[in-house]
Amino acid sequence: ETLLSFPVKITYANLFQAVEGIEKENKVRCVLGGGMTFSEGKKKERIPFVFSGEFPIFKLPEVELLSLELKALTIGGSDLSFRWKVKNNNSDILVVERIRYEFYLEERLLAEGELGAKRNIASGGEEPFSLHFLIDFFDLGKDIYSILQQTSALCRLSGEAEVQTQWGRVKTSFSKSEKVPIVRTPQFSVDDRSHHSQY
């Protein structure tokens, strides 16, 4: 006996266009047919074959923005955390190996960096993430102070994630923008003294 491997490249964009409605399925049935030619000396014989099977449909992870959590707010800066989560809509586990990100508050770049800790996300499961910032209003602009005094703010998280899947390692870009609530933590402290000082 010997094992035969038939390389098949599947482009999802073309597949979804050719076969409508399968993008929501977890797996798709397929049929592989052809023929094998055997030779022994001058004698040749062709034997046809047909195999049926299935292959999984890979779904990109979904990013959902949750909230901004304020721990401290002064006229000079803020201590805050941004919370979001990643959802796995696949029928198998995903391992998030690395995330490169940019975080914007009201279209102002607040932070950028990389998360390298591995996270396992079960089939149909979700995994929470958090970014912690110490920001300086004198660098970013005093209007950020006013924004953080509101009950919600427009946030945008974009970047690229490296994910280990049953299909191998996949790189996928993401960008999500929406208004999220601004939440004061139990440890929240505020210094709302006037910007004017007396000498």
Side-chain angles (χ1 to χ4, degrees), residues 31-43:
V31 176
L32 176 66
M36 294 180 288
T37 301
F38 296 87
S39 62
E40 184 178 1
K42 294 182 179 181
K43 182 181 179 182

Side-chain angles (χ1 to χ4, degrees), residues 112-126:
E112 56 184 329
E114 182 175 300
L115 298 174
K118 285 189 176 183
R119 301 282 191 91
N120 295 340
I121 309 179
S123 170
E126 300 174 345

Side-chain angles (χ1 to χ4, degrees), residues 43-56:
K43 182 181 179 182
K44 290 186 178 181
E45 184 174 357
R46 186 177 185 274
I47 300 178
F49 66 85
V50 176
F51 295 109
S52 64
E54 59 185 17
F55 63 90

Side-chain angles (χ1 to χ4, degrees), residues 150-169:
Q150 301 173 9
T151 57
S152 64
L154 179 65
C155 296
R156 175 158 61 94
L157 183 68
S158 59
E160 183 183 73
E162 292 185 21
V163 184
Q164 185 65 39
T165 74
Q166 59 178 320
W167 304 266
R169 181 175 278 101

Side-chain angles (χ1 to χ4, degrees), residues 2 19 23 40 43 45 86 101 110-111 121 167:
T2 187
V19 187
E23 59 270 15
E40 184 178 1
K43 182 181 179 182
E45 184 174 357
V86 177
Y101 68 87
L110 215 62
I121 309 179
W167 304 266

Side-chain angles (χ1 to χ4, degrees), residues 16-197:
F16 296 157
Q17 195 172 35
V19 187
E20 295 183 3
I22 65 170
E23 59 270 15
K24 296 181 180 179
E25 301 293 331
N26 289 325
K27 295 181 179 180
V28 176
R29 292 194 59 78
C30 61
V31 176
L32 176 66
M36 294 180 288
T37 301
F38 296 87
S39 62
E40 184 178 1
K42 294 182 179 181
K43 182 181 179 182
K44 290 186 178 181
E45 184 174 357
R46 186 177 185 274
I47 300 178
F49 66 85
V50 176
F51 295 109
S52 64
E54 59 185 17
F55 63 90
I57 296 291
F58 176 65
K59 299 179 178 66
L60 293 174
E62 288 184 22
V63 173
E64 182 178 342
L65 310 187
L66 299 176
S67 65
L68 273 175
E69 295 186 348
L70 286 181
K71 297 180 181 178
L73 179 64
T74 72
I75 60 173
S78 179
D79 183 355
L80 57 87
S81 295
F82 173 66
R83 295 179 59 250
W84 88 99
K85 64 182 178 181
V86 177
K87 185 175 181 180
N88 174 18
N89 292 319
N90 293 282
S91 58
D92 200 16
I93 189 172
L94 293 182
V95 181
V96 180
E97 296 189 336
R98 183 177 291 105
I99 297 177
R100 286 179 284 275
Y101 68 87
E102 293 179 345
F103 175 68
Y104 296 81
L105 178 64
E106 298 289 352
E107 298 304 322
R108 184 82 56 86
L109 179 62
L110 215 62
E112 56 184 329
E114 182 175 300
L115 298 174
K118 285 189 176 183
R119 301 282 191 91
N120 295 340
I121 309 179
S123 170
E126 300 174 345
E127 181 69 18
F129 289 82
S130 180
L131 299 174
H132 180 242
F133 310 118
L134 291 172
I135 58 176
D136 189 335
F137 298 150
F138 297 106
D139 292 334
L140 295 171
K142 62 182 181 181
D143 57 318
I144 300 294
Y145 176 80
S146 300
I147 293 171
L148 293 177
Q149 287 184 312
Q150 301 173 9
T151 57
S152 64
L154 179 65
C155 296
R156 175 158 61 94
L157 183 68
S158 59
E160 183 183 73
E162 292 185 21
V163 184
Q164 185 65 39
T165 74
Q166 59 178 320
W167 304 266
R169 181 175 278 101
V170 175
K171 284 187 178 182
T172 176
S173 59
F174 60 89
S175 182
K176 189 70 176 288
S177 179
E178 62 183 81
K179 272 201 167 187
V180 302
I182 298 176
V183 180
R184 272 69 173 171
T185 66
Q187 300 82 22
F188 177 72
S189 63
V190 61
D191 181 356
D192 58 357
R193 289 174 296 175
S194 169
H195 290 265
H196 302 286
S197 300

